[in-house]
Amino acid sequence: MKLSILGPPGSGKGTQSTRLADRLGIVHISTGDILRTAVKDKTVLGKKAHEFINSGQLVPDDVMIGIVKERISEKDCKKGFILDGFPRTIPQAEMLDTIIPLDGVIFFDVSEEACVARLTTRKICPKCGLIYNPTTHPPLVAGKCDKCKGPLATRDDDKVETVKERLKVYNKSTEPLVNFYKNSGRLLHIDASPPPDEVFEKLVEMVQAHERGSARD
Ligand code: AP5
Ligand code: MG
């Protein structure tokens, strides 16, 4: 399966796509994680992307398209992949259709208020990238990663002003993709407001049903 999860910042894309990729035995590709690693490692890409990320703006399409084209052509993507955070603009979606068209795009529907509340309390493990929330998805030991046992951190772009800017950018540049994929019959819709385990259960059911449907086509 070649899937993408589409939704506003804080809708749970990272939380769910990591689990779904594990369950389906396919690769999880987060463009946000790729960029954050590049920033941390101070690579040429990282230096270019840093300002865009921290001001809540999108990294230019040509840069993102180059990254994803290269990543999905790798051997581990042969069985399928789940894109998290890509495509994010119409030009990115159009480009993807010219190389590897997606089988399905799952739209995570959740209110802006919920996204702001989730993001301004989110914690992440700077080492392995696992995502936590003190109220909705707490770690086993407060402030420590379950896997790495190291201290959790706050993402630089989770400041309330940056979160609001990211939501504005989402509404302007990314939300139009809902209709783009609806019009080509590839949009799956999920209510992403219930607790994480409940969303995951529905997500798995939905993807499996979609896969069975695609196999029949
Ligand atoms: P990216 O890293 O993709 O950020 P985003 O889209 O803003 O989304 P987030 O990662 O903030 O949220 P999420 O939906 O993954 O939610 P999460 O699971 O963490 O991109 C960052 C930046 O990189 C962009 O702003 C841009 O600059 C650049 N970029 C990346 N891709 C790009 C592209 N294609 N083109 C151009 N630029 C690009 O969950 C959030 C919180 O909620 C957590 O605390 C979690 O525990 C909690 N939570 C999750 N699910 C639930 C639930 N069901 N109920 C309650 N709480 C929940
Ligand atoms: Mg994410």
Side-chain angles (χ1 to χ4, degrees):
M1 290 285 271
K2 297 177 290 295
L3 302 169
S4 170
I5 298 196
L6 171 66
S11 54
K13 301 184 297 295
T15 302
Q16 300 295 343
S17 50
T18 311
R19 285 180 76 176
L20 186 63
D22 262 6
R23 175 67 68 92
L24 300 178
I26 56 179
V27 183
H28 167 220
I29 302 170
S30 157
T31 45
D33 286 348
I34 293 173
L35 293 170
R36 279 183 291 278
T37 302
V39 170
K40 199 166 78 187
D41 296 345
K42 297 191 169 66
T43 64
V44 174
L45 168 65
K47 284 179 190 154
K48 210 185 272 183
H50 188 244
E51 274 311 303
F52 291 104
I53 297 174
N54 281 6
S55 58
Q57 302 304 315
L58 296 181
V59 172
D61 283 338
D62 58 335
V63 176
M64 296 314 301
I65 288 169
I67 294 172
V68 171
K69 236 181 181 172
E70 201 177 308
R71 181 64 188 89
I72 60 181
S73 66
E74 284 175 34
K75 217 171 149 195
D76 62 349
C77 291
K78 287 268 179 302
K79 261 175 73 185
F81 51 79
I82 302 175
L83 294 173
D84 157 9
F86 189 95
R88 230 167 165 111
T89 63
I90 298 280
Q92 291 181 12
E94 286 173 342
M95 176 291 297
L96 197 55
D97 273 349
T98 66
I99 47 166
I100 305 186
L102 295 169
D103 302 309
V105 173
I106 307 143
F107 170 49
F108 275 27
D109 198 356
V110 62
S111 73
E112 279 201 17
E113 296 70 36
C115 291
V116 173
R118 289 177 184 184
L119 291 181
T120 49
T121 52
R122 171 169 59 188
K123 293 284 171 200
I124 55 145
C125 173
K127 215 168 156 195
C128 70
L130 276 180
I131 303 161
Y132 299 92
N133 192 285
T135 46
T136 60
H137 181 53
L140 297 171
V141 177
K144 299 257 159 75
C145 177
D146 295 350
K147 196 169 138 199
C148 307
K149 316 289 178 207
L152 299 180
T154 300
R155 247 169 67 173
D156 288 342
D157 58 347
D158 278 349
K159 295 181 185 79
V160 68
E161 284 318 309
T162 318
V163 165
K164 287 187 178 157
E165 187 57 31
R166 285 159 60 199
L167 284 162
K168 251 193 236 165
V169 168
Y170 169 81
N171 287 325
K172 182 168 176 268
S173 306
T174 308
E175 204 274 340
L177 290 177
V178 172
N179 270 334
F180 179 93
Y181 286 111
K182 200 187 270 175
N183 293 340
S184 59
R186 289 176 288 173
L187 193 79
L188 304 170
H189 177 279
I190 194 163
D191 175 8
S193 52
D197 287 349
E198 218 177 288
V199 175
F200 184 65
E201 226 172 89
K202 287 206 188 108
L203 182 63
V204 171
E205 262 172 39
M206 183 182 270
V207 168
Q208 286 173 342
H210 187 67
E211 196 172 19
R212 285 194 297 272
S214 309
R216 274 198 303 273
D217 288 345

